Every structure is written in C-alpha cells, then in structure tokens.
Amino acid sequence: MARYSLALLAAAALVRAEPYCPVKRDEPTGTGAWAAAYSSAAAAVARLSQQDKINIVTGVGWDKGPCVGNTSPVSSIGYPQLCLQDGPLGIRFGTGITAFTPGVQAASTWDVELIRQRGQYLGAEARGCGIHVLLGPVAGALGKIPHGGRNWEGFGSDPYLAGIAMAETIEGIQSQGVQACAKHYIVNEQEVNRETMSSNVDDRTMHEIYLWPFADAVHSNVASFMCSYNKINGTWACESDSAQNGLLKKELGFRGYILSDWNAQHTTVGSANSGMDMTMPGSDYHGNNRLWGPLLNNAVNAGQVPRQRLDDMVTRILAAWYLLGQDKGYPPINIRANVAGNHKENTRAVARDGTVLLRNEGKILPLASPRRIALVGSAAVVNPRGMNACPDRGCNEGALGMGWGSGSVNYPYFVAPYDALRERAQRDGSQISLHASDSTNGVQGVVQGADVAIVCITANSGEGYITVEGHPGDRNHLDPWHNGNQLVQAVAAANKNTIVVVHSTGPIILETILNTPGVRAVVWAGLPSNENGNALVDVLYGLTNPSGKLVYTIAKRPEDYGVSIVRGNDDFREGIFVDYRWFDQNKIEPRFEFGFGLSYTNYSYSALAITSNVRAGPATGQTIPGGPADLWETVATVTAQVTNTGGVAGAEVAQLYLSFPSSAPSTPPRQLRGFAKLKLQPGQSGTATFNLRKRDLAYWDTGRQQWVVPTGRFVVSVGASSRDIRLTGNIDV
Ligand code: BGC
C-alpha cells in the first residue's frame, strides 16, 4: 500500500516545488501587459527604416542561421537575430535537452499541474538555449481522423481538453520569458496532400471544434500563431482574410503575430493583406523564391500593401518580444547548451500518469513478484541501430517514444522496456527472457512456462516529409505494425498470462487482441518518450496506480469513426460530431470510449451539487484576448464527491459532460466541459470542482455570429468516462 502513496507524494512534492509566474489570463485588450508592450513597440517602430521593417518580417532563408527560423537583427533598437525553433516536445536538434513526452501523453494524464510544469520546463530549456520563439504547442491537427500523422503532437481529439492543455502549456512556456507559437492554424488534419488540399468546414464547426482550443491560446496571451499548409474553404490558410484577420485578430482579439508554416506562403500581397505577419523560413528549401524581402518592399512602395499594414506586422512582432521581456538580458543562442536539469522527472511522471490501463482480467496487474518473465517484441529494446539512428525519428525500429517529424527531438538517453524490466527482475531475483523481434518464429519457446508474457506492440506516424514502412506520415491502417496481432496470438497460445503493452501515436483496433484467449491485460502506454521502460515498470509493478484516461475513442472497426484520410479536398461532413461526439450521436458502441481508463482501486461518486447564475442570450462583452470577456466568466459551479473505495491509493479523473437543451440546434449528446484529477488514499474522499464558463454553455449561432447560451434544461453528467456516468443533475436556463 505504501508503495503507491510514496510515489504519489513524491509527484505532488515535485509539482509544488516549482514556482511559476503565470501570465494573467483575463487581461482586457489594451490594458496591462499587452498595452505596455504595444507602447514600447510603437516607440521602436517609429525609429525603423522601411528596410529594417522588411528584415523583421522576413526570414533570412532556409538553413541560413542557427535555428530552423531566423530573422535579421536591427541594432538601432537592440533587436536581436530572432531564433525560432521546433518544437512542441523539446528543443529540436538540441544535445543537452530533455525529450519531453508528446502532447498526447501529457493530455492523457489529465493533470493540469504536470501539463503546466511540462510547459515551464519547455520554456526554461528554450530560454537556456537562447531560443526566442518555441514552435508549439499544437492544437491542429486536433485529431479528427485517427490515422492523422501528427495527432500525437497535440492534446487529443476533444477541443475542451486541448484548450485547457494549450492554455497551461503556453502559460508555462511564457512564464519563462519565451514566446510560444500556437500551431497549425487551422483545420490541418492530415499529412497526405497537406500542401494542396482544402479543408472545407462550416462556420459552426469551425468555432465549436477547431477554433475552440486556439481561443484558449489567445486567452493565455500566446505571442504567436503559425498559419498552416492547407487551404481553408478554398483559400490558403496563410492567405485567408477570414481566418487570420477575421477570426483570429478581430473576433478573438489576438494581439501577437502570425508566422507562416515553412513555405506555406503563396503570394506576396495576398498574405500581407490577409493578416500574415512574418514569413518563414524566408526562402524555399533551395534558397530561392522569397515572397517577401525585396518583393514586399516593392509591393509596399507600389501601394499594394499599405504602409500601415507593414507597421502593424512589425508592431505585433516587437510587442510580443517586449511582452515576454526579451529586450532585457536574454541569453545568447546556443542550441547545444546543457539545459536539461532535472526535467526528466516530468517526462517520467507524464509517461507514467498518461498510461491507460484498458484491461486487467483477474487482477493480473500489478505483478506480484513473478519468478519468470518473458518479454517479446522489437519494441522491447532500444533501436539496435541506435536510439537516434533515424533522422527526426523517422523509422519504427525498437522501442517507441514519440512519432516522427519536425515535432520530434533527439533522445538524450533511452530506457526501453527491457532495460527497466531487467533491472527490476535483477533486484527481485526473477528471471527474464527476451525475444526482441516481431517474428513469431521461436517465440513460443521463449514464453512457455513463464509466469507472465509481456508483448510490446506499436503503431507509429509522423510528418509527411518522411514515409516510414509505406506510411506517408498518416497511417495507412489502424492495425498494430509488424503483424502485432499475430505476434500476440502466438504468445497467448503458449502463455495464458499474456500482457499486451501498446505504444502508439493514436488509436488502434484491438479486437483481435481482446478476443485472443490468454490476453489478460492491455496496457495503453501511449508515447512515453525516453522514460518508456521506467514508466512501464512503475505501472506493471504497482509503484504507481495507473490514472491515465483515453483522449480519443478506440473503436471496434475503423469504419466506425466515420472519417478517413481524404485524397482530394475534405468537406468535414461529420461537422461538430468529432470522435466521441460521432459515436454518441450515431449510437455506435466504441470498444473503449473517450475518457476511459482502469485503476488498481475503485472510486465511488456522490453528492452532486450545482450552483448557477447563467442567463440565456449571447455573449456581448468587450473583446479581450480570447473573444468577448463575458465568455470567460464562471457562470455555474458543479461539485461532486469522489471516494477511493478500494485498498490502494490512486488518482481519479472525474469528468463533467454537458448535454444542451433542445432549443439549441443539433448538438452532440454530451460534450466535455470540465475535469478534475483527485489524488486519494484508500477510504479518502475529495471534492471535484468544475467551474463552467459562459463559453462552456454556449453554441455558435451562425445567424447572429455570436456565442449564445440557449434557454432550457442542460443536463450535467459527472463520471469516470464519457460513457461511465455516475451522477446527473440539471442547470435550467
Ligand atoms: C512543420 C512545422 C514546423 C516547421 C519548422 C514544418 O514542416 O509543419 O510544425 O514548425 O516545419 O520545422
């Protein structure tokens, strides 16, 4: 019993020990931090020549500076060569850094303290390397298509959860004086044809699903946005007046700047006048074809781009720089600085607490000192060619910790399942035998007679500039790679205590595995970065009680998702019914629903209490960063008691879902609108408190072009997942 509480206490102490100074979330536009930054920026802009201004908005060209993106310094105002560097889980190409867990794993913890700490550490490392702009976090792809190659860079398929994680991460990064960059804006949901396709999305879906987490980013005063590769309703994202000027700058009151994804810009004048503020990297990948630089200068001189627009671009960029205090004593650029400190503790905690237990038949877990352990799978060991053998992690050899692409980093070290299990076995005096291959040949001899057989399988994906084993970024299918199903079948045929460990960038279809007799446990280990093996041992041996919950639905069949990678344009026909919203609306039973996860203990829910002063009608407040101010005000509070009724300590993620009254136009049966993670000793009760903001009870009224709280009865559902509802109540409006 003590094993659990010690681990949990250690984690709590770790979180509390870290001071942070969050940027205030609800500062009205024009006051506070941005106002001061804007006046400094205006004073600086007045001293700049037109050439200085062009230099500030134009990247110096691909591969021409220390970072993946660089602009020119302007010495007259003490402005440095700006360094923009990937990415969302750490410092790409860094050598003295931490390989943080991918966003999807952080979200799976549902632990805002760990998510925020991850952001703070990311910011601290970026600052230590002299990086001004860290290119993350990611809310697009949101993950509407389970095959989507880059879903793992973001925070799961629910906009509310992604929004909270965006806010915590951005505030964490920016608390260290580093500019965060919310990307990829917007509706960039797949890799195949990402640079040619149009995402055709209706206004309501845009607001309620895709824009939602980006609104959180703006509300957290994010310094910059990255416009994406795709077209939006027929217009390139970086040329989209409605997405950039309309939604982002006007409606959401975004005061920072928009930079292009690398070569996502298509015209000189169109991008400038539609709201893009900085071009990256400033040339194509061969060093040619600068669309700004001298061409923007000509366009300004010819009156095609107003001078005020150029000034606005520069003001926004400088204001962000002042906002983060980067004008004073910022460290010099050194991507190879040693900045890791003790940050791997966050990686391990997130890897561990983001692990989701899906099946535990006959309580085979936690392991009770097995004497003979068999470990199977190529993913049980570090890539034999070297942990960083594949550039940008573009292969699926050995243990999996992150997907591939610009959102990856070099691992500073790697603890694979075998490394950690062997150490544990040695300590316990147990025997461990290894079959480090995905071939079924000879595997039965290894697992026969062992007390448990642990099989590691994977599914991987990444960014489309690398194709791995025929997968062009996006996955071609939702099966485990390397014939994982057959491997599990072969193992379980010879050992009736088989434990399947899945490392994956997103959902896989588990039916074959679950229907295989002898598969007693399934551990969804997700993407644990280089703490892979340590986190697994923590969970398998009960050093921690698993507390992760799924941040996407695991379906019974790929067709059940109702979406797949498209070859032409994507018409987003599913509309607002993304992930669990689709399954609920269409009455499709998932295998494991959104929000699901088992524990080694049990929790009961009681005493739902609701207070509300919400009133029907539109949000009409003054625009602050994030939209009308009243959208962000708490209008109802829901509390519930959660009690640990089992014999071991643990942590439960209580979730709140809202069902809208019928006066609102067709709305998903349930939408996540709150969650709270409670750490509870055996017998202990805690209070889950959910503060509902006006936006949480509003839908986007396309006729009025406003967020509107409908009249009627909202049903409040509180429970352990999106389908395991324990308590219900009402809010009458
Ligand atoms: C990716 C961005 C990344 C940029 C710079 C692009 O291919 O889409 O996420 O920040 O490259 O590496």
Side-chain angles (χ1 to χ4, degrees):
M1 227 181 268
R3 306 179 288 180
Y4 299 106
S5 46
L6 281 179
L8 288 169
L9 286 174
L14 171 78
V15 169
R16 267 198 302 275
E18 276 309 305
Y20 62 83
C21 40
V23 176
K24 258 195 96 207
R25 278 201 195 177
D26 48 2
E27 236 153 33
T29 302
T31 67
W34 276 112
Y38 260 71
S39 64
S40 303
V45 171
R47 293 164 51 203
L48 298 177
S49 68
Q50 184 160 312
Q51 189 55 51
D52 291 335
K53 296 174 188 173
I54 298 289
N55 287 348
I56 286 174
V57 304
T58 307
V60 297
W62 177 244
D63 219 8
K64 295 261 170 52
C67 303
V68 297
N70 311 273
T71 56
S72 307
V74 181
S75 57
S76 61
I77 57 165
Y79 187 70
Q81 169 163 51
L82 202 72
C83 161
L84 303 92
Q85 186 71 3
D86 294 308
L89 59 65
I91 311 305
R92 187 172 176 204
F93 307 131
T95 49
I97 56 127
T98 303
F100 291 95
T101 50
V104 70
Q105 191 80 5
S108 304
T109 68
W110 302 66
D111 184 330
V112 289
E113 289 179 349
L114 281 179
I115 295 170
R116 190 173 193 104
Q117 185 190 55
R118 177 177 171 276
Q120 289 160 5
Y121 288 173
L122 278 166
E125 296 198 8
R127 187 187 179 96
C129 291
I131 292 162
H132 300 94
V133 186
L134 185 64
L135 300 170
V138 173
L142 184 72
K144 79 149 183 159
I145 309 172
H147 312 68
R150 300 184 75 179
N151 296 353
W152 57 276
E153 294 185 38
F155 299 107
S157 305
D158 177 82
Y160 177 89
L161 176 60
I164 301 288
M166 287 293 280
E168 296 294 340
T169 305
I170 288 163
E171 290 172 27
I173 292 171
Q174 297 200 162
S175 73
Q176 306 302 310
V178 173
Q179 302 182 41
C181 178
K183 69 184 190 182
H184 308 84
Y185 185 73
I186 189 171
V187 284
N188 181 183
E189 292 294 318
Q190 64 176 60
E191 288 302 283
V192 170
N193 296 334
R194 70 176 181 180
E195 284 159 55
T196 53
M197 68 179 293
S198 178
S199 294
N200 302 326
V201 59
D202 67 83
D203 185 32
R204 183 169 176 212
T205 302
M206 180 62 113
H207 279 84
E208 294 188 17
I209 303 293
Y210 299 98
L211 190 62
W212 182 287
F214 285 116
D216 288 272
V218 177
H219 192 238
S220 290
N221 287 322
V222 71
S224 64
F225 260 64
M226 184 189 289
C227 53
S228 54
Y229 284 118
N230 53 290
K231 293 177 184 169
I232 306 165
N233 297 325
T235 305
W236 298 110
C238 298
E239 317 252 331
S240 170
D241 179 60
S242 65
Q244 299 187 115
N245 285 332
L247 293 177
L248 186 50
K249 291 183 175 174
K250 185 151 179 282
E251 196 179 306
L252 295 183
F254 173 57
R255 308 216 73 197
Y257 59 99
I258 304 173
L259 58 104
S260 71
D261 200 342
W262 269 233
N263 283 311
Q265 184 191 22
H266 289 265
T267 67
T268 300
V269 174
S271 55
N273 290 341
S274 65
M276 202 185 92
D277 302 299
M278 181 188 279
T279 181
M280 277 294 145
S283 73
D284 67 15
Y285 296 117
H286 310 289
N288 319 308
N289 188 26
R290 297 172 67 153
L291 285 169
W292 278 6
L295 295 184
L296 180 60
N297 202 30
N298 295 344
V300 171
N301 291 339
Q304 293 166 310
V305 174
R307 281 184 207 284
Q308 303 89 295
R309 178 74 265 271
L310 178 61
D311 283 353
D312 177 47
M313 296 174 192
V314 178
T315 306
R316 287 170 173 275
I317 294 166
L318 293 182
W321 181 65
Y322 285 118
L323 180 78
L324 276 304
Q326 295 185 340
D327 55 318
K328 291 187 200 81
Y330 207 72
I333 301 170
N334 177 12
I335 304 290
R336 306 180 82 79
N338 283 324
V339 290
N342 65 345
H343 301 165
K344 68 180 183 190
E345 290 174 23
N346 178 270
T347 304
R348 179 164 181 169
V350 173
R352 177 191 75 206
D353 293 353
T355 298
V356 184
L357 182 62
L358 294 180
R359 171 189 274 190
N360 191 15
E361 269 179 20
K363 298 200 173 151
I364 187 172
L365 294 176
L367 296 174
S369 315
R371 298 196 30 219
R372 279 193 57 199
I373 303 163
L375 181 61
V376 173
S378 64
V381 296
V382 177
N383 180 355
R385 294 202 283 132
M387 64 187 172
N388 293 317
C390 309
D392 291 338
R393 314 289 69 73
C395 62
N396 195 37
E397 296 164 34
L400 182 63
M402 60 184 67
W404 72 79
S406 66
S408 67
V409 297
N410 290 331
Y411 293 118
Y413 63 91
F414 201 105
V415 181
Y418 182 58
D419 305 319
L421 277 162
R422 185 186 44 194
E423 196 190 307
R424 172 72 200 213
Q426 267 165 8
R427 222 170 338 127
D428 291 351
S430 35
Q431 258 179 37
I432 182 160
S433 42
L434 175 69
H435 177 87
S437 148
D438 300 322
S439 161
T440 53
N441 285 343
V443 74
Q444 299 196 327
V446 176
V447 302
Q448 232 146 29
D451 296 329
V452 286
I454 301 167
V455 194
C456 298
I457 59 172
T458 61
N460 201 352
S461 70
E463 195 174 343
Y465 65 89
I466 303 176
T467 293
V468 175
E469 300 181 31
H471 298 264
D474 303 323
R475 285 185 283 159
N476 292 329
H477 56 71
L478 298 183
D479 288 324
W481 286 29
H482 306 167
N483 296 319
N485 286 336
Q486 285 85 330
L487 183 63
V488 170
Q489 283 174 325
V491 170
N495 189 307
K496 295 301 165 208
N497 292 326
T498 294
I499 296 165
V500 177
V501 175
V502 187
H503 289 110
S504 176
T505 51
I508 64 171
I509 304 301
L510 287 166
E511 297 306 289
T512 304
I513 288 170
L514 295 170
N515 290 327
T516 301
V519 173
R520 292 185 57 194
V522 177
V523 176
W524 193 266
L527 292 179
S529 191
N530 54 356
E531 285 289 333
N532 178 313
N534 286 334
L536 184 63
V537 165
D538 287 344
V539 170
L540 292 180
Y541 282 83
L543 304 172
T544 194
N545 189 347
S547 63
K549 303 250 186 174
L550 290 176
V551 296
Y552 39 69
T553 301
I554 295 183
K556 293 180 180 170
R557 307 175 309 157
E559 310 83 85
D560 290 348
Y561 289 100
V563 283
S564 54
I565 301 298
V566 298
R567 296 290 145 183
N569 298 330
D570 186 350
D571 289 332
F572 283 56
R573 288 211 185 85
E574 69 291 338
I576 54 179
F577 300 101
V578 169
D579 196 73
Y580 67 91
R581 292 162 168 81
W582 173 265
F583 287 78
D584 292 349
Q585 176 75 3
N586 295 297
K587 303 196 167 42
I588 302 167
E589 207 190 313
R591 175 52 62 195
F592 295 111
E593 72 272 17
F594 177 89
F596 177 85
L598 299 173
S599 162
Y600 297 152
T601 186
N602 295 307
Y603 303 98
S604 70
Y605 285 66
S606 62
L608 187 75
I610 301 174
T611 56
S612 157
N613 60 11
V614 63
R615 284 203 303 272
T620 53
Q622 179 206 354
T623 299
I624 60 164
D630 49 336
L631 271 186
W632 299 89
E633 287 164 9
T634 296
V635 293
T637 299
V638 177
T639 56
Q641 296 299 306
V642 181
T643 304
N644 181 347
T645 57
V648 290
E652 170 70 334
V653 180
Q655 299 157 45
L656 182 148
Y657 294 85
L658 274 188
S659 310
F660 277 54
S662 55
S663 69
S666 169
T667 303
R670 282 193 194 114
Q671 307 200 71
L672 182 73
R673 286 294 186 259
F675 61 90
K677 189 162 191 173
L678 300 174
K679 293 172 180 162
L680 299 170
Q681 296 298 317
Q684 191 187 357
S685 295
T687 304
T689 302
F690 311 97
N691 288 321
L692 299 174
R693 304 153 303 180
K694 191 173 207 172
R695 74 188 295 234
D696 298 324
L697 290 107
Y699 69 94
W700 178 252
D701 186 318
T702 54
R704 293 160 91 159
Q705 289 291 294
Q706 282 174 315
W707 289 97
V708 173
V709 176
T711 50
R713 172 161 285 190
F714 285 84
V715 177
V716 176
S717 303
V718 172
S721 80
S722 62
R723 289 184 169 225
D724 184 1
I725 301 303
R726 309 289 183 87
L727 304 167
T728 55
N730 302 314
I731 296 174
D732 290 314
V733 182

